[in-house]
Amino acid sequence: MASAPPPSPAKLYRPTRYVSLPAELDPDTFDPSLEKRRAEAERLAIRSRLKRQYLLQLNNPSPPAVIENPALIRWAYAKAQNVYPTFRPTLRTSFLGAVYGLAPLLFWMFVLKADRDRKEKQIQEGKYKRPPLSVFC
């Protein structure tokens, strides 16, 4: 006569004084019905069939030119074609673009122009001393 299957880890787990029962193991919140387990098993079977098909194509001695991987195609589409949901032009992004794009250019323009004006003023006053030529020039 066959014995009963061993109890699941969820049934064996007992909370302690310091650790409460996780929601995944609490029978009040997590009690997978037969339908849910059947659906999960079907999804697992589909996933394993797709994985096996992909691995067979990948390890084929004479592979086709392109091995289609639906997940990779979806990922490439999301990265390349579908840009709008990940970036929305708002006032904040426009301001940040100006700060990070234009501010450094304007800063260096101001610094170089101020230095040139300072040197030009010193030259006109006769106070500018030309730096010595380098030995390597």
Side-chain angles (χ1 to χ4, degrees):
M1 182 144 204
S3 64
S8 69
K11 302 266 189 233
L12 295 176
Y13 184 85
R14 298 284 172 250
T16 65
R17 188 170 34 163
Y18 304 109
V19 180
S20 63
L21 188 67
E24 295 85 16
L25 298 179
D26 189 8
D28 297 332
T29 59
F30 180 77
D31 188 22
S33 64
L34 186 60
E35 296 168 7
K36 286 184 182 178
R37 282 189 272 158
R38 214 176 266 146
E40 182 65 32
E42 287 176 18
R43 285 194 293 272
L44 184 63
I46 291 170
R47 210 175 309 131
S48 63
R49 276 198 310 267
L50 285 172
K51 183 177 179 181
R52 184 176 190 285
Q53 177 188 0
Y54 178 74
L55 288 174
L56 283 174
Q57 289 177 359
L58 186 66
N59 296 320
N60 188 0
S62 55
V66 176
I67 298 174
E68 293 195 8
N69 182 355
L72 188 60
I73 291 171
R74 283 193 305 269
W75 180 81
Y77 171 76
K79 288 296 278 182
Q81 303 295 326
N82 200 12
V83 176
Y84 184 72
T86 57
F87 173 76
R88 299 188 192 277
T90 62
L91 188 61
R92 179 176 181 259
T93 56
S94 301
F95 174 72
L96 288 175
V99 166
Y100 287 108
L102 294 177
L105 291 174
L106 295 174
F107 170 76
W108 286 112
M109 282 174 46
F110 172 75
V111 166
L112 294 174
K113 174 79 168 126
D115 184 50
R116 189 172 73 185
D117 289 345
R118 182 183 57 79
K119 283 183 183 177
E120 185 176 334
K121 185 178 176 187
Q122 285 180 348
I123 289 172
Q124 287 175 356
E125 293 174 355
K127 296 178 182 177
Y128 181 72
K129 189 172 182 182
R130 189 177 193 153
L133 290 175
S134 174
V135 177
F136 299 109
C137 288

